[in-house]
Amino acid sequence: CGMTLVSRPDKKRHHYVPETYLKRFADAKEFIFSARKDQAGKVLHSKVSEVALRRYYYSQPVPEGGVEHNRLENAFSIFEKDWPKTHEALLSRNRPNDVLEHLLMFSAFQRMRVPAFRDAIEQVYIV
């Protein structure tokens, strides 16, 4: 066939709040103010790329053995890529119903991908 598979590096930095979403709260240099829930009162001023992430957070074991690091990150990126367009439509109030489906999907995915939700599911289903 003549085709060769290109090996892509594993994604290590898994954001549970998408960078494209966080950028809407950032300054011109893409810094954002944030706080850690385990350090009450401490305010951080960090690059968007350094906030709301965990290393290999969405990595999953595969039946053949080993671990797959990119599949869930890639799936989430499908919904994340349209967030700027959705956000602009909502702000401009220019036909917001046209982006309603994306808004609801984005919200649902965001709810289920954050650590608090994952921790709750793991407490119920992992013995």
Side-chain angles (χ1 to χ4, degrees):
C1 146
M3 293 179 60
T4 59
L5 295 176
V6 177
S7 176
R8 304 238 186 251
D10 288 333
K11 296 176 182 179
K12 302 177 210 178
R13 300 162 48 82
H14 297 177
H15 284 83
Y16 51 86
V17 178
E19 287 182 75
T20 188
Y21 180 82
L22 292 171
K23 285 179 182 180
R24 299 299 174 158
F25 300 96
D27 61 23
K29 294 183 180 179
E30 293 193 359
F31 275 79
I32 188 170
F33 288 101
S34 63
R36 295 181 51 94
K37 71 178 186 178
D38 60 345
Q39 295 176 343
K42 183 176 181 180
V43 176
L44 306 170
H45 191 230
S46 307
K47 289 287 280 179
V48 166
S49 61
E50 301 296 325
V51 176
L53 67 96
R54 291 191 181 167
R55 289 176 57 85
Y56 299 110
Y57 189 59
Y58 300 118
S59 298
Q60 298 291 310
V62 292
E64 309 81 43
V67 179
E68 208 297 314
H69 301 291
N70 299 341
R71 187 173 294 146
L72 286 175
E73 269 291 293
N74 293 342
F76 288 135
S77 72
I78 293 168
F79 293 99
E80 294 169 6
K81 70 177 172 57
D82 289 332
W83 177 251
K85 179 179 70 174
T86 300
H87 184 256
E88 291 304 319
L90 293 170
L91 284 178
S92 70
R93 299 179 188 224
N94 182 20
R95 302 178 56 92
N97 288 343
D98 291 352
V99 296
L100 186 58
E101 182 178 353
H102 183 262
L103 176 63
L104 294 174
M105 290 293 286
F106 185 89
S107 298
F109 270 98
Q110 189 53 43
R111 172 64 180 115
M112 69 179 212
R113 69 188 280 187
V114 296
F117 185 77
R118 181 174 175 167
D119 292 348
I121 294 298
E122 288 176 352
Q123 284 183 348
V124 171
Y125 291 103
I126 296 178
V127 181

